[in-house]
């Protein structure tokens, strides 16, 4: 299965009639493995800051989580495994696996829980597969 198939069929899928507005699978080095058309262009320092927060949880909270031009307030995640961000009526979930970062960005009517479920389920699967 191609990496783009994971985006198209597993991340950008319908969840109770709702779907993410953008998704990506990015390597720890910032290389894009696959992404939806609408996923923002990340700056190298944004990926570096995200990786640092996974290594040292809490480092993003004072400055916020930046994904392209959007700034998200960092909310409770799972230290070293999941970072969650909130921006207005939407937000983002980032799940770290052994080789990748899986991003899901949502807006209402999708709920934070639905976004978390989609992103974290794929993250658990990829982690189990050694990715």
């Amino acid at each position: 299965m191609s990496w783009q198939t994971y985006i198209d069929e597993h991340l950008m899928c319908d969840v109770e009639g709702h779907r993410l507005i953008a998704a990506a699978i990015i390597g720890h080095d910032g290389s894009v493995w696959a992404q939806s058309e609408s996923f923002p262009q990340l700056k190298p320092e944004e990926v570096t800051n995200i990786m640092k927060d996974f290594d040292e949880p809490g480092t993003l909270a004072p400055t916020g989580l930046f994904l392209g031009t959007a700034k998200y307030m960092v909310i409770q995640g799972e230290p070293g495994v999941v970072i969650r961000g909130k921006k207005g009526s939407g937000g983002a979930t980032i799940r770290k696996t052994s080789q990748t970062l899986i991003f899901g960005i949502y807006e209402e009517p999708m709920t934070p829980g639905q976004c978390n479920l989609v992103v974290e389920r794929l993250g658990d699967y990829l982690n189990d597969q050694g990715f």
Side-chain angles (χ1 to χ4, degrees):
M1 185 177 330
S2 79
W3 290 107
Q4 193 61 45
T5 303
Y6 285 110
I7 298 292
D8 300 338
E9 295 182 7
H10 297 278
L11 291 174
M12 299 298 289
C13 61
D14 274 351
V15 178
E16 297 174 22
H18 311 303
R19 61 180 16 191
L20 297 173
I21 60 167
I25 299 173
I26 296 178
H28 288 183
D29 61 357
S31 61
V32 176
W33 292 23
Q35 66 182 25
S36 64
E37 275 187 42
S38 55
F39 192 78
Q41 179 70 40
L42 298 184
K43 297 178 185 119
E45 62 268 19
E46 292 170 344
V47 176
T48 301
N49 291 341
I50 290 166
M51 289 301 294
K52 183 177 181 187
D53 193 81
F54 278 118
D55 292 337
E56 302 169 35
T59 57
L60 278 178
T63 58
L65 166 65
F66 285 87
L67 301 177
T69 58
K71 179 181 179 181
Y72 296 80
M73 178 178 64
V74 178
I75 56 176
Q76 179 270 334
E78 189 178 335
V81 181
V82 177
I83 296 171
R84 296 188 180 106
K86 184 83 174 126
K87 177 178 181 270
S89 62
T93 301
I94 307 168
R95 168 67 162 89
K96 181 183 179 197
T97 70
S98 59
Q99 295 183 39
T100 69
L101 298 173
I102 302 167
F103 292 79
I105 301 174
Y106 70 95
E107 287 289 342
E108 284 184 342
M110 185 173 233
T111 67
Q114 291 169 326
C115 177
N116 295 342
L117 180 72
V118 169
V119 172
E120 293 176 35
R121 187 169 36 194
L122 181 60
D124 292 345
Y125 172 77
L126 291 179
N127 221 30
D128 290 346
Q129 301 304 308
F131 291 104

